[in-house]
Amino acid sequence: MASPRPRGSSIFSGLILIFIGVLLLMHNYRGFELTRVFLHWWPLLLIFWGAIKLYERTVGMRSREPGAARITAGEVFLVLGLLALLGIVVGVEQAHQRFPDWTGVDFPGDAFSTSLDIAPKAVPANARIIVRVARCDITVRSSDESEIRVAGKVNVKSWSESAARRLAEQLSVEVVQNGDGYEVRPTGSRDSRASVDLDVSVPSKAQVTLRSDKGDINISDMAAPINIDGMNGDLEIRDTKGDVSLDMRHGDAKISDTKGDVKVSGHGGSIEVVNASGGFTINGEFVGPIRADKVAKGVRFVSHRTDLTLTQLSGHLEAGSGNLEVIDAPGNLIVRTRDEDIRIENAGGKVKIDNRNGHIELRFSSPPKEDIEINNSSAQITLSLPESSSFEILADCHSGDIDSEFQGDSLKATTTESGDSHLEGKYGKGRGPKIILKTTYGGISLHKTS
């Protein structure tokens, strides 16, 4: 009986998997730089492969199995796949080093920190100061001294403390003079595994401009204007006397207790302005909510679907998620929007609203003194007024009903056969504002407030 033909076997697949696995493990857990090894030593893989085949051929000759040393299609695909895997790892590593703002992939590891020691720099009390950083959390505070003081730390993410220390030693911050201004900027490597946290003290009357690619910003107690360009993080500004100008790319902003105007542009998350002696202007696309409380000179809000002007706000404004709410606004209110449910309470000036596909509700706790004009479509209008109010009204509702709790001989309500409703006339003893209400495919309701 003939003996079965022995099957060829190879130890190459197992050894190469072990070898590549060890390299990747050292890369992840020991900060091992795989780029240099792959670019300069990848031919060793072919040498290693050939040496194993020679060994297998020798063993096969002795055991009369010459086919044991043949190169199989599976081995070829394994080598190509592993080379591709190493290439991807090296490519990601290089991308992080050359493009530090790219955040598509994050390297694993522990966080290590080292302190920064920067000598103070004497500057004029009203100096122009630019803080220019890439990946940095910044705190800017005022000082009574005519100098710039910088403190902080370098944060490095690595599996090796020695590797983290070497990278941290390459990073620092310098204060340099540019013309009649001064600049605070990082120096050294821009490796994505490293970031810098800065605490910067400047003269209170200095004009500060921050340019940050990524990181949170905290500013307080400044007496001069503040400009922030390209912000890509969260922001908090408080107790400032000058104007605040903010250009956002991403993140949330909270600005409180400011004496100047606040201007926000760009796009991002939520915006909150509280206790502003000036005005609040916001122009851009923000997912919200947008909140404003006690803005003396009012709010101007422009986005792709909303255009709002509010000349004074003693109470609260909130916009976001298809809702707009304004409470206690002594000034004029003009808004043009769509797909928003609007709620206005205690408006003191003229009110003009143009909306589509959203319910509009106005409520007055005291009789209105200025004209009200509301145009809506495909949604309801609800107006609540004190019984003591005096007004002249013109209300039209196409394909809807008008329900009014105000009755009088001078008020005339009519309904057409096609389902349109009309209300016109005067109510009250004195001369009051003119109220114009128009909507289509929605009702109009007039209620008396208690």
Side-chain angles (χ1 to χ4, degrees):
M1 180 177 180
S3 60
R5 183 178 179 178
R7 295 182 179 179
S9 62
S10 175
I11 62 173
F12 171 74
S13 300
L15 290 177
I16 195 60
L17 287 172
I18 293 173
F19 176 69
I20 298 299
V22 170
L23 286 180
L24 293 176
L25 191 64
M26 293 176 65
H27 171 266
N28 287 342
Y29 289 91
R30 301 300 299 173
F32 185 73
E33 294 185 3
L34 194 59
T35 302
R36 184 182 300 272
V37 174
F38 180 76
L39 294 179
H40 294 281
W41 298 101
W42 68 266
L44 284 177
L45 185 63
L46 300 178
I47 297 173
F48 182 57
W49 192 3
I52 290 177
K53 288 301 160 184
L54 287 175
Y55 169 76
E56 290 178 349
R57 182 174 180 81
T58 302
V59 173
M61 293 289 291
R62 293 176 180 177
S63 62
R64 296 181 181 180
E65 295 182 17
R70 68 182 184 276
I71 297 177
T72 65
E75 291 178 354
V76 173
F77 284 113
L78 176 63
V79 171
L80 293 177
L82 291 175
L83 286 174
L85 174 62
L86 290 175
I88 291 172
V89 175
V90 170
V92 171
E93 191 175 81
Q94 289 295 303
H96 271 276
Q97 294 177 0
R98 297 189 180 187
F99 306 99
D101 300 328
W102 182 56
T103 56
V105 179
D106 190 17
F107 287 110
D110 296 326
F112 300 92
S113 300
T114 58
S115 299
L116 286 172
D117 186 13
I118 309 299
K121 178 83 170 181
V123 299
N126 60 346
R128 294 189 303 105
I129 299 173
I130 297 177
V131 182
R132 190 192 308 270
V133 292
R135 301 179 70 249
C136 182
D137 291 342
I138 311 170
T139 297
V140 178
R141 63 185 82 247
S142 66
S143 171
D144 295 332
E145 304 293 333
S146 295
E147 61 183 16
I148 300 175
R149 289 183 173 270
V150 181
K153 61 182 180 179
V154 178
N155 304 307
V156 179
K157 194 171 184 182
S158 174
W159 288 108
S160 170
E161 184 175 0
S162 60
R165 189 181 300 110
R166 288 194 302 270
L167 182 57
E169 290 173 352
Q170 301 174 19
L171 294 172
S172 186
V173 175
E174 63 179 1
V175 181
V176 297
Q177 184 173 0
N178 287 332
D180 60 348
Y182 297 84
E183 184 172 340
V184 179
R185 63 191 183 192
T187 61
S189 172
R190 293 186 63 189
D191 195 300
S192 64
R193 292 171 294 177
S195 63
V196 181
D197 294 341
L198 292 183
D199 192 318
V200 182
S201 297
V202 301
S204 61
K205 296 182 179 180
Q207 300 181 37
V208 178
T209 298
L210 277 77
R211 295 174 180 170
S212 173
D213 294 336
K214 184 180 181 182
D216 298 338
I217 298 174
N218 191 304
I219 303 176
S220 61
D221 303 313
M222 297 301 301
I226 298 170
N227 296 287
I228 302 176
D229 296 333
M231 197 194 83
N232 194 3
D234 294 337
L235 168 73
E236 183 174 358
I237 298 177
R238 61 187 182 277
D239 298 317
T240 59
K241 296 180 180 179
D243 295 341
V244 175
S245 180
L246 172 60
D247 176 48
M248 297 183 63
R249 297 177 185 173
H250 178 77
D252 304 329
K254 181 178 180 180
I255 304 169
S256 60
D257 301 311
T258 62
K259 302 300 182 183
D261 294 332
V262 177
K263 297 181 180 180
V264 181
S265 61
H267 49 86
S270 64
I271 308 293
E272 183 175 2
V273 175
V274 180
N275 294 331
S277 298
F280 172 32
T281 301
I282 179 168
N283 190 335
E285 305 303 325
F286 297 86
V287 297
I290 296 170
R291 298 187 179 97
D293 289 276
K294 299 180 180 179
V295 181
K297 295 184 179 180
V299 179
R300 181 81 171 96
F301 173 34
V302 179
S303 70
H304 75 283
R305 73 177 186 181
T306 300
D307 189 333
L308 180 146
T309 300
L310 183 62
T311 59
Q312 190 177 354
L313 179 65
S314 60
H316 174 76
L317 177 148
E318 181 168 340
S321 301
N323 292 281
L324 172 62
E325 181 180 73
V326 179
I327 300 175
D328 296 332
N332 297 333
L333 170 63
I334 301 174
V335 59
R336 184 176 67 252
T337 186
R338 67 178 188 272
D339 305 320
E340 296 272 3
D341 288 335
I342 300 175
R343 179 174 176 264
I344 310 296
E345 186 170 342
N346 297 331
K350 293 182 179 180
V351 176
K352 185 174 182 179
I353 301 175
D354 192 340
N355 189 30
R356 290 183 297 167
N357 305 318
H359 180 79
I360 299 176
E361 179 182 359
L362 270 74
R363 189 179 190 280
F364 293 84
S365 57
S366 60
K369 299 179 181 180
E370 302 291 343
D371 294 345
I372 299 170
E373 182 178 351
I374 301 176
N375 289 282
N376 201 9
S377 62
S378 303
Q380 177 88 10
I381 296 175
T382 301
L383 176 61
S384 299
L385 306 169
E387 187 176 4
S388 59
S389 298
S390 296
F391 55 85
E392 180 181 349
I393 189 168
L394 174 63
D396 281 304
C397 184
H398 177 66
S399 298
D401 297 328
I402 297 177
D403 178 23
S404 176
E405 295 180 359
F406 294 90
Q407 303 292 331
D409 295 338
S410 58
L411 288 175
K412 182 179 180 181
T414 59
T415 303
T416 66
E417 294 181 358
S418 60
D420 298 341
S421 301
H422 179 81
L423 176 65
E424 185 175 1
K426 294 182 179 180
Y427 180 86
K429 299 179 180 179
R431 182 179 180 181
K434 188 173 183 178
I435 299 175
I436 299 175
L437 308 176
K438 295 181 179 181
T439 188
T440 59
Y441 304 104
I444 295 176
S445 297
L446 299 173
H447 298 293
K448 297 178 179 179
T449 56
S450 56

